[in-house]
Amino acid sequence: MDWQVLTRELSLYLESQVRVGLFGSGVGLSLVLGFGVAYACYYLSSIAKKPQLVASNDHFCRFLEEYCPVVTETYYPTIWCWEGRVQTLLRPFITSRPQVQYRNELIKTADGGQISLDWFDNNDSLYYPDASTRPTVLLLPGLTGTSKESYILHMIHQSETLGYRCVVFNNRGIAGEELLTPRTYCAANTEDLEAVIHHVHSLHPSAPFMAAGVSMGGHRKMLEKLFDMDLVMKARTVREFDKQFTSVMFGYPTIDDYYEDASPCRKLKSVGIPVLCLNSMDDVFSPGHAIPVETARQNANVALVLTSCGGHIGFLEGIWPRKCTYMDRVFKQFVQAVFEHGNKIFSM
């Protein structure tokens, strides 16, 4: 279809309707209908698109196409809020919050700190009644996120329908837990995550295990021992905060050193297990130009799913996007594909 010709015809139609309407009736309806048709044409031609699947391994691609077909289907973002910033801002207020009953566990770290884990055991699982072999999904919330975030609750809900167990890793100093040491977390440090992985695996050594992360508070009394918190709290941008706080806490000479070390560009080459990454090209925090596409193509274990719209943890779809999002569907299909057909990833 020639969209330029269609647009020109619509313009001529609207002009004629306006002229008629000025001397008769129906101009309002004509304008509304004309605008609706034009908007629908623009949406279908420029907004609703199939995601770009980036993977150097043909076996991995075929695995995703067969067992996680959502990554090859057209993504139709919510027609009235498809723009990245709008999706990013609206998701926390629009999406529902499924009810989840957690079992909390506090574990100690080598430096005297503590980490809060929220378990969803799914003991009523019909597919995996044996808890010792029930697949376990470790969920990693984003910056300042906790087990109470709507996107985490939806991921647990998707896992529940599949019969899986979930455990949410709450970073130090958030989720209402006391900060015992003057240390929180940063994007480049994985010591706490490693401790959690070893702990969870030791509890269920016979259970299949995988992790899913989304995106990337402190308690001031403890932090004031090492930091000028008045200066830190004056930060007006993420970069200023990281310069005064995060990079200093973890011993980086400069903020640029921290950002370089935290960048996934340096780590993608060393990924040794199959990883699927979902990112929107209009993500306000991780925009398209910053996505390391070429680096990802150099590792057979990495696949990227890049949508044209979706914002940051948005991916809203449907007229009234209260429930499942595109991200939720990708998560559900990929987790199920790995647990139930993971041995076929590199053999198809």
Side-chain angles (χ1 to χ4, degrees):
M1 181 181 292
D2 191 332
W3 296 107
Q4 291 183 340
V5 172
L6 178 60
T7 303
R8 184 172 63 252
E9 293 297 325
L10 281 171
S11 298
L12 294 174
Y13 169 77
L14 288 174
E15 288 178 4
S16 65
Q17 290 300 310
V18 169
R19 287 195 295 269
V20 171
L22 289 176
F23 301 96
S25 63
V27 62
L29 178 60
S30 298
L31 285 173
V32 170
L33 291 176
F35 176 79
V37 172
Y39 187 82
C41 291
Y42 173 74
Y43 175 86
L44 293 173
S45 63
S46 302
I47 305 303
K49 297 180 179 180
K50 289 186 176 181
Q52 179 186 359
L53 179 59
V54 178
S56 63
N57 190 315
D58 292 337
H59 297 290
F60 200 177
C61 274
R62 286 195 290 270
F63 174 84
L64 292 172
E65 290 169 356
E66 180 167 350
Y67 296 111
C68 190
V70 66
V71 302
T72 64
E73 300 169 358
T74 299
Y75 166 48
Y76 294 93
T78 298
I79 195 168
W80 53 271
C81 66
W82 47 263
E83 197 272 336
R85 287 164 295 187
V86 177
Q87 286 231 351
T88 301
L89 292 172
L90 286 184
R91 170 167 180 153
F93 304 100
I94 290 181
T95 53
S96 61
R97 306 177 69 85
Q99 292 296 316
V100 175
Q101 294 297 321
Y102 288 120
R103 171 177 61 85
N104 184 256
E105 179 186 17
L106 297 177
I107 63 174
K108 299 295 183 181
T109 60
D111 66 340
Q114 71 178 6
I115 300 172
S116 174
L117 300 180
D118 281 324
W119 290 85
F120 174 72
D121 296 302
N122 203 5
N123 289 325
D124 296 327
S125 173
L126 298 178
Y127 300 109
Y128 301 93
D130 184 356
S132 66
T133 58
R134 185 177 303 145
T136 303
V137 183
L138 173 62
L139 299 177
L140 314 176
L143 184 66
T144 75
T146 72
S147 58
K148 297 180 176 60
E149 304 301 327
S150 63
Y151 57 85
I152 293 293
L153 297 176
H154 277 277
M155 294 169 83
I156 291 178
H157 177 67
Q158 299 290 346
S159 300
E160 180 183 14
T161 63
L162 298 172
Y164 305 151
R165 170 175 47 226
C166 293
V167 54
V168 185
F169 168 31
N170 297 298
N171 281 291
R172 299 193 195 194
I174 59 176
E177 300 300 333
E178 183 180 0
L179 192 63
L180 301 182
T181 60
R183 168 176 165 168
T184 55
Y185 58 97
C186 78
N189 188 276
T190 59
E191 292 176 8
D192 285 354
L193 176 58
E194 292 170 10
V196 169
I197 290 175
H198 289 304
H199 175 74
V200 173
H201 180 64
S202 68
L203 294 177
H204 306 285
S206 300
F209 184 32
M210 67 180 296
V214 181
S215 188
M216 167 32 228
H219 302 287
R220 178 165 179 155
K221 182 177 180 181
M222 177 60 66
L223 298 175
E224 283 181 332
K225 297 178 180 180
L226 295 180
F227 305 98
D228 184 348
M229 293 305 297
D230 289 331
L231 179 61
V232 171
M233 297 307 293
K234 291 180 180 178
R236 291 293 178 267
T237 66
V238 173
R239 185 179 180 87
E240 288 180 9
F241 178 83
D242 285 337
K243 180 179 179 180
Q244 300 293 343
F245 185 74
T246 313
S247 60
V248 177
M249 174 179 287
F250 289 90
Y252 289 98
T254 68
I255 180 64
D256 292 325
D257 290 312
Y258 165 49
Y259 283 164
E260 181 179 358
D261 190 37
S263 173
C265 294
R266 301 183 57 192
K267 297 177 173 62
L268 278 182
K269 295 180 180 179
S270 61
V271 172
I273 59 174
V275 171
L276 179 65
C277 304
L278 172 65
N279 205 119
S280 172
M281 298 296 284
D282 69 351
D283 191 317
V284 292
F285 296 110
S286 177
H289 66 80
I291 300 174
V293 174
E294 294 305 318
T295 304
R297 285 198 174 104
Q298 299 172 22
N299 190 330
N301 290 310
V302 176
L304 306 181
V305 177
L306 307 176
T307 61
S308 59
C309 300
H312 186 72
I313 325 179
F315 300 104
L316 301 175
E317 56 185 357
I319 298 299
W320 185 242
R322 284 279 295 165
K323 297 182 179 180
C324 186
T325 69
Y326 180 77
M327 184 180 80
D328 297 327
R329 294 196 291 126
V330 172
F331 166 79
K332 181 178 182 179
Q333 289 190 13
F334 184 63
V335 169
Q336 184 176 24
V338 171
F339 280 143
E340 300 183 11
H341 308 285
N343 61 324
K344 300 178 182 179
I345 290 181
F346 295 128
S347 62
M348 294 185 67

